[in-house]
Amino acid sequence: MYRPRIVGRGNVPERGPVLLVSNHLATLDTLIIPTSAARPVQFLIKSSYFTGSGMLGRVKRWFFSSIGGVPVYRATGRDARAALDAGSSILRAGSVFAVFPEGTRSRDGKLHEGHGGAAWMARDTGAAVVPVGLIGTGTAKPLSHLPPGRPRLEVHFGEPLDLADLEGVPDGKARREITERMMVAIARLSGQERSGSVNATSRD
């Protein structure tokens, strides 16, 4: 429907655990990344998609489970750690896991500061970290990108980050550095301005 232009798909390693780290502009992102990647992708998604009641709730649970969604709770402590552990388990199994380091989608179009969960998973599993830059998903509407001449959505897969120099660096410092490198790479791929602050404007 959206005819995404996919760049750098070959940067995703063909084998082994891969952590995709992406900017987040719209709910559409959770569909665009898996359908653009060369390998099956699983990802964190807000828990409300799994807890609804009635027929609509059952349909949402089925749909988001079938496309690889793993529920994440907007909380600190045990629930948040359980979500990170779930992601690490997927990576340890040699699969591809995608995460949005900003935590929530950006409503102002800027790239906000990353949280440390993605870096924790990278450090915990040794997975290859591949940055992803999404362009145009924040303004996409159904069928809006079909007419000739209209801008196309773009998905840019960057080269895996080189983290070899962080071997032996204390965990806290290493996670902060990994997070910063992730956000620098995502900004370069997406062309977004960095806000310099944590995203507090979105609840989903």
Side-chain angles (χ1 to χ4, degrees):
M1 179 183 297
Y2 294 103
R3 304 178 301 118
R5 178 180 289 111
I6 304 169
V7 179
R9 181 184 282 170
N11 286 326
V12 178
E14 295 181 359
R15 298 179 182 81
V18 178
L19 179 63
L20 301 178
V21 291
S22 174
N23 58 325
H24 193 15
L25 299 169
T27 302
L28 180 63
D29 300 342
T30 56
L31 300 179
I32 290 293
I33 292 175
T35 55
S36 299
R39 293 174 58 185
V41 177
Q42 292 182 265
F43 53 89
L44 296 174
I45 193 167
K46 63 179 183 177
S47 60
S48 60
Y49 285 122
F50 296 85
T51 57
S53 59
M55 177 60 72
L56 180 58
R58 289 195 293 273
V59 169
K60 284 184 176 181
R61 281 194 296 276
W62 167 80
F63 177 74
F64 287 104
S65 295
S66 69
I67 63 172
V70 176
V72 59
Y73 297 85
R74 301 298 185 196
T76 58
R78 189 174 359 182
D79 289 337
R81 179 56 184 264
L84 294 178
D85 287 341
S88 288
S89 295
I90 292 168
L91 292 170
R92 287 197 196 95
S95 300
V96 181
F97 191 71
V99 68
F100 304 114
E102 292 172 278
T104 60
R105 62 190 174 101
S106 172
R107 292 188 182 277
D108 60 12
K110 295 181 180 180
L111 183 67
H112 298 276
E113 294 303 288
H115 296 282
W120 183 88
M121 284 188 284
R123 185 83 165 171
D124 183 55
T125 65
V129 179
V130 175
V132 180
L134 301 176
I135 300 174
T137 59
T139 56
K141 305 294 182 185
L143 305 180
S144 67
H145 287 63
L146 285 180
R150 288 294 185 93
R152 292 171 62 182
L153 303 184
E154 297 184 25
V155 184
H156 294 255
F157 293 95
E159 295 183 358
L161 299 182
D162 184 1
L163 305 176
D165 61 309
L166 297 178
E167 290 291 335
V169 174
D171 282 342
K173 182 177 180 180
R175 287 196 297 269
R176 289 190 295 273
E177 178 61 23
I178 292 170
T179 301
E180 176 61 15
R181 293 185 190 184
M182 288 176 180
M183 305 316 292
V184 167
I186 292 170
R188 184 177 67 251
L189 294 168
S190 68
Q192 288 172 282
E193 176 187 352
R194 295 187 65 181
S195 73
S197 62
V198 173
N199 186 0
T201 63
S202 175
R203 295 182 180 275
D204 59 354

